[in-house]
Amino acid sequence: MSFTVPTVAAPTAPTAPAAPRPSGDVANLATYVSFGLAYVLGHGSAALSRGDAPLLDLPGWLPMALLGAGLAAGTVLATLAALRAQRATTDPAAVRTGQLLGALWVTAFAALFLLITGLAAAVDNPDLQTLLWPTGSGFVVGVIYVAEGATRRNTLHYALGTWLALTSTAALLLGDPAFYWVLTLAGGGAYALAALLEHRRLARRG
């Protein structure tokens, strides 16, 4: 008499739930290039056209217009890069963090506008805005970079923000046009170096 041993199927390991994807890595190359051009063209034209012996005869509104256009373009590019990073993650907390950081740009520049406009009106000196906008925008952008770098653990972004915040405010200690030369060389040079390092970082990331 033969006996058939029943076959028992081996238990299958339970499938682990898919872990949410981490926060998307923001590619800042285009943003760095745009902000760098804003510094070089905006502050550079101001440095060349101001002082007791200006090298160029430019309209007074042109440096601010170049700076504002570059900063606006850079802000849009930064927002688009953050949105692309948000779409690359399924972590609700990471998405929410990205949204709050994006709103920080609007809040910070709105507060800066009110501060500079109110201060210029309080001291009855409209020309004060031509001094405060360059240093104020550099400080605000730097602080936002520090916040973004700390949140996303991006050392390059954090270091660039620290440098911009310090140099933009330290430039106030200098007279005109040395003030604009510091912003041009220190800020524009920092963005150029950051763009190079960001390009290498993105190339390694693939």
Side-chain angles (χ1 to χ4, degrees), residues 1-8:
M1 179 181 297
S2 60
F3 297 92
T4 303
V5 180
T7 302
V8 180

Side-chain angles (χ1 to χ4, degrees), residues 163-183:
W163 176 258
L164 291 175
L166 292 176
T167 55
S168 296
T169 50
L172 284 173
L173 300 174
L174 304 175
D176 190 6
F179 166 76
Y180 293 100
W181 280 117
V182 170
L183 295 179

Side-chain angles (χ1 to χ4, degrees), residues 22 25 46 55 73 77 98 122 128 137 155 161 169 180-181 183 196 198 203-205:
D25 186 18
L55 299 177
L77 291 173
L128 190 63
S137 59
T155 306
T169 50
Y180 293 100
W181 280 117
L183 295 179
L196 176 62
E198 178 73 354
R204 289 194 302 267
R205 186 188 70 175

Side-chain angles (χ1 to χ4, degrees), residues 101-116:
L101 288 174
L104 177 59
W105 284 88
V106 178
T107 303
F109 271 97
L112 181 64
F113 170 79
L114 294 174
L115 172 65
I116 293 177

Side-chain angles (χ1 to χ4, degrees), residues 62-108:
L62 183 59
M64 287 295 294
L66 292 174
L67 177 65
L71 293 179
T75 302
V76 171
L77 291 173
T79 303
L80 293 177
L83 290 176
R84 286 193 296 269
Q86 290 178 26
R87 289 194 292 266
T89 180
T90 57
D91 185 359
V95 173
R96 186 59 174 170
T97 299
Q99 292 172 342
L100 292 175
L101 288 174
L104 177 59
W105 284 88
V106 178
T107 303

Side-chain angles (χ1 to χ4, degrees), residues 130-198:
T130 62
L131 182 67
L132 292 182
W133 267 113
T135 191
S137 59
F139 174 75
V140 166
V141 170
V143 171
I144 294 176
Y145 279 3
V146 169
E148 291 179 339
T151 302
R152 295 168 177 153
R153 298 177 179 86
N154 188 327
T155 306
L156 173 60
H157 208 59
Y158 186 96
L160 176 60
T162 302
W163 176 258
L164 291 175
L166 292 176
T167 55
S168 296
T169 50
L172 284 173
L173 300 174
L174 304 175
D176 190 6
F179 166 76
Y180 293 100
W181 280 117
V182 170
L183 295 179
T184 302
L185 299 176
Y191 270 115
L193 178 59
L196 176 62
L197 296 176
E198 178 73 354

